[in-house]
Amino acid sequence: MKISIAEGLYLIALDDEEGRLLAAAEKTIVPGLISACILELHLQKKVELHDSTITVSDTTGTGNGILDNVLKKLKSGVSLTDTIENLTHHFKDIQEDLNQLLIQRGILKKEATKLMWIPLSERMDNANYAFEQQIRDSMFNIVFKSAKPTPGFVVLMSLIYDCQILNEVFKDKDELIDAVKVAKDIVNSPMITDELSQALKNLKAYFGN
């Protein structure tokens, strides 16, 4: 993917018509985004996971401001779920940070909704839908064409399910049934390490899935 796992998760969590966060994701999105950042740092070999306990192995910046901010807050010897719990309180504005990042990259556009001349609220318009479309297409190929996902996509699809927004991608009920089966089992994908698989399983329990 040309965008980070957290950015991909956030794009799916935004209602394309309303330009606001989906109601289903309101409680899960912040810990979901933190999880995405930590696991991406793991894939970039900045963080090791042993029995879902974090060890910071490389503090060099990634070039992504949001990932780097999370990396600075990570502490070795703390469990993955405890870390997510702690950082969820530190990064309550992570959605706004993502808005700004995606606006800078030309993917989102901020618009004011108005009644006559009175601004009511702001919405995020998906100005470059190609990134989100690529995610949706890839997920359909994984579910219905048995396409092999990259490790990053295994993480993304698992978190989309954990954040209870899989039905935003698979809106047809029959398609959703198949997608849920794949999303539940994707934590056992041979494309990821045993350490990452265990971390994703722990996250399923953390999110109550």
Side-chain angles (χ1 to χ4, degrees):
M1 286 191 302
K2 295 178 181 177
I3 57 177
S4 71
I5 298 169
E7 289 164 9
L9 177 62
Y10 187 58
L11 287 176
I12 296 298
L14 282 178
D15 187 309
D16 292 326
E17 293 181 8
E18 296 292 330
R20 295 179 184 84
L21 195 66
L22 292 164
E26 286 179 358
K27 292 182 179 178
T28 59
I29 193 61
V30 175
L33 294 172
I34 299 293
S35 303
C37 289
I38 295 172
L39 295 183
E40 181 136 13
L41 290 167
H42 170 67
L43 291 174
Q44 293 189 18
K45 303 190 183 306
K46 305 287 184 186
V47 170
E48 295 176 24
L49 294 169
H50 299 290
D51 295 325
S52 288
T53 297
I54 289 173
T55 301
V56 179
S57 53
D58 182 2
T59 57
T60 310
T62 66
N64 180 302
I66 294 172
L67 284 177
D68 290 346
N69 286 340
V70 171
L71 180 58
K72 289 174 187 173
K73 291 286 187 183
L74 295 182
K75 295 180 181 177
S76 296
V78 183
S79 75
L80 175 62
T81 52
D82 283 348
T83 299
I84 291 165
E85 194 72 22
N86 291 336
L87 294 191
T88 294
H89 300 294
H90 275 288
F91 292 106
K92 291 179 180 178
D93 295 329
I94 193 169
Q95 293 170 236
E96 188 54 39
D97 293 339
L98 276 164
N99 283 341
Q100 295 305 320
L101 181 62
L102 291 167
I103 288 169
Q104 288 171 11
R105 298 182 65 182
I107 297 172
L108 291 182
K109 182 173 64 175
K110 187 176 285 188
E111 291 185 346
T113 59
K114 295 182 180 180
L115 180 64
M116 303 298 282
W117 60 89
I118 304 170
L120 297 177
S121 63
E122 290 181 340
R123 67 182 300 276
M124 306 307 300
D125 184 44
N126 202 326
N128 188 343
Y129 193 74
F131 290 92
E132 184 174 340
Q133 189 61 55
Q134 183 183 7
I135 294 169
R136 291 172 179 268
D137 290 345
S138 296
M139 289 178 70
F140 268 87
N141 288 337
I142 291 166
V143 173
F144 299 112
K145 297 183 180 179
S146 300
K148 290 184 179 179
T150 62
F153 224 96
V154 170
V155 173
L156 177 59
M157 190 162 184
S158 185
L159 287 175
I160 286 172
Y161 174 74
D162 290 344
C163 290
Q164 301 174 10
I165 51 175
L166 194 65
N167 61 345
E168 170 60 18
V169 180
F170 299 92
K171 297 184 178 181
D172 178 88
K173 287 184 179 180
D174 291 333
E175 289 181 348
L176 181 60
I177 291 170
D178 292 335
V180 166
K181 291 176 184 175
V182 172
K184 279 184 175 180
D185 194 51
I186 205 165
V187 296
N188 298 311
S189 171
M191 306 304 292
I192 59 175
T193 62
D194 290 342
E195 290 81 8
L196 184 52
S197 174
Q198 186 58 54
L200 290 173
K201 289 174 183 175
N202 286 356
L203 286 178
K204 290 234 176 296
Y206 174 76
F207 283 101
N209 293 314

